Amino acid sequence: MKIYATDLDDLALGAVFLATGGGGDPYLPTLIAKQTLEQTGPATLIDAEALSDEAFVVPVGGVGAPTVSLELLPSIDEASRVLDAYVTLISKEIDAVASFEIGGGNSLIPLMAAAVRGLPVIDGDGMGRAFPEAQMMSYAISGVKPTPALAMDYAGNTALFDTSDTTTYEHHIRSFAAAAGGMVTVAEHPMTGAQLKRSVIPKTVSFSLTLGRLLREKRGPIGDLLPLLRDVFADSVYGAVHQIFTGKVSGKSTRTVGGYDIGELSIECFDDPTAVCNITIKNEYLVATAGGKPLAMVPDLIVIVDAETTTPINAERLHFGQRVAVLAVGAPDFYQTPEALAATQPRCFGIDLDYTPLASLVR
């Protein structure tokens, strides 16, 4: 499958939906990716199963606080320069590029890097959504080591990482990102084709394209789009789609702490101002509650869309008074396993809740 410059608006729109509020704003990465593909020709998207077990795969993407991406602008060749430096570091040619996460700007960075180097991109990613920390990736949960890793900042300065485990790596890479202005581009979690096949969340790039095309072509009130969204998600790795709240944004408080965007969001019901949905944010939307009861929680996806157009909204783009609908989508089966929940359930974020599957909360 080929990804052309003309596909990128739809791909970015679908990826913002799946990003659950994080992943970085895709506006500038989309412009840059379009310019890249217009110069290089289309990117080639392949299934993980098309790779040999001995193939060498490297994920690439941005690490940092998503709000920073609105001001610290990426350059057109940043991602490919990271791969160039990585090949020099390890003295080994790369056979394919993969995504950390199918979220916002991070869904486009691998396409740019791969197109410049003439490499294929894997149709899949390491989260099936966006998560804030490296140890939450399916690659790490499946036992793929994060290092050797290489990070590059906006000025071309690089840092190399060799750590004993992914949690330690997360602390080190986050510190470098914070010191480098809040956002860096990284090549990490090198793996074989066999490791990728065991750990990737499959077909999420092509699904983002399909989802984005639906959102663009059928743009309209959430009440009209919801049945169509349910049909599209029924043929995916994700669970069912539910509308869990509707109202206007009545409060939002976020700040950058330790390289993450941390905060809270409140949404007031249109019909009953005393009914409020509260959402906890750590780069992404983590837990939604109303009246002290959970409505949805990580690793299931919480998605906020414009109530009139069903356009998904990143956390950094939310503001007071917006009329929104809150949707929840069941996480891929991989993230329902005990091993994945041990790394991604609410308690991993310091939230005093045991994970309850979305299907149980919406009965």
Side-chain angles (χ1 to χ4, degrees):
M1 179 179 179
K2 298 293 185 182
I3 302 288
Y4 294 86
T6 52
D7 295 321
L8 296 181
D9 286 329
D10 289 342
L11 176 57
L13 187 59
V16 172
F17 190 101
L18 297 175
T20 67
D25 188 84
Y27 177 68
L28 283 171
T30 302
L31 294 179
I32 294 171
K34 284 181 179 177
Q35 186 175 347
T36 300
L37 296 195
E38 286 168 355
Q39 294 174 357
T40 63
T44 301
L45 192 67
I46 63 170
D47 287 338
E49 296 300 324
L51 283 175
S52 72
D53 286 351
E54 295 74 30
F56 185 54
V57 185
V58 177
V60 62
V63 171
T67 53
V68 175
S69 65
L70 299 178
E71 299 179 354
L72 190 60
L73 309 183
S75 63
I76 191 167
D77 61 348
E78 200 165 293
S80 63
R81 286 194 292 130
V82 168
L83 283 188
D84 290 342
Y86 195 75
V87 169
T88 300
L89 169 69
I90 60 174
S91 300
K92 187 175 183 179
E93 287 300 319
I94 298 169
D95 295 309
V97 177
S99 303
F100 299 164
E101 58 186 5
I102 191 68
N106 260 347
S107 63
L108 301 167
I109 290 173
L111 290 174
M112 289 186 272
V116 170
R117 294 187 63 85
L119 296 172
V121 181
I122 301 301
D123 187 4
D125 73 296
M127 296 183 182
R129 47 167 291 159
F131 280 115
E133 300 180 19
Q135 70 274 15
M136 298 170 178
M137 275 194 274
S138 60
Y139 307 143
I141 294 167
S142 299
V144 177
K145 286 189 61 178
T147 61
L150 182 145
M152 182 179 290
D153 70 7
Y154 66 93
N157 301 303
T158 60
L160 310 180
F161 299 87
D162 185 6
T163 61
S164 58
D165 59 79
T166 311
T167 301
T168 302
Y169 170 70
E170 169 63 24
H171 293 155
H172 288 193
I173 187 66
R174 194 64 56 171
S175 296
F176 178 66
M183 183 66 72
V184 293
T185 305
V186 184
E188 63 179 39
H189 282 92
M191 67 187 102
T192 65
Q195 288 176 306
L196 178 79
K197 294 171 190 177
R198 290 196 297 269
S199 61
V200 73
I201 307 299
K203 300 187 182 302
T204 52
V205 179
S206 55
F207 181 69
S208 288
L209 188 57
T210 300
L211 177 59
R213 186 173 297 130
L214 170 72
L215 292 169
R216 174 178 57 82
E217 292 179 346
K218 303 297 183 183
R219 175 184 167 96
I222 181 60
D224 295 345
L225 265 288
L226 191 57
L228 302 176
L229 287 172
R230 285 172 171 158
D231 289 344
V232 167
F233 273 89
D235 191 26
S236 76
V237 297
Y238 299 94
V241 183
H242 300 272
Q243 183 174 348
I244 58 174
F245 203 85
T246 305
K248 68 175 182 179
V249 176
S250 55
K252 177 191 169 189
S253 174
T254 60
R255 63 194 189 284
T256 301
V257 179
Y260 306 100
D261 289 335
I262 306 290
E264 296 284 338
L265 172 72
S266 58
I267 301 169
E268 186 178 287
C269 179
F270 292 137
D271 301 324
D272 179 4
T274 65
V276 176
C277 174
N278 296 298
I279 296 178
T280 304
I281 299 171
K282 183 176 183 179
N283 288 6
E284 285 77 42
Y285 309 129
L286 300 180
V287 173
T289 62
K293 296 181 179 179
L295 301 177
M297 63 183 72
V298 66
D300 292 321
L301 287 67
I302 297 171
V303 186
I304 297 179
V305 301
D306 184 290
E308 303 302 326
T309 66
T310 316
T311 302
I313 308 172
N314 285 94
E316 60 267 31
R317 294 286 189 187
L318 280 169
H319 58 78
F320 179 82
Q322 279 179 304
R323 297 168 65 86
V324 301
V326 184
L327 309 180
V329 183
D333 288 344
F334 179 94
Y335 278 100
Q336 305 286 347
T337 63
E339 295 79 10
L341 287 172
T344 61
Q345 66 168 314
R347 292 193 187 280
C348 300
F349 299 89
I351 300 171
D352 189 20
L353 278 175
D354 291 321
Y355 172 68
T356 303
L358 178 63
S360 298
L361 293 174
V362 296
R363 284 176 182 164

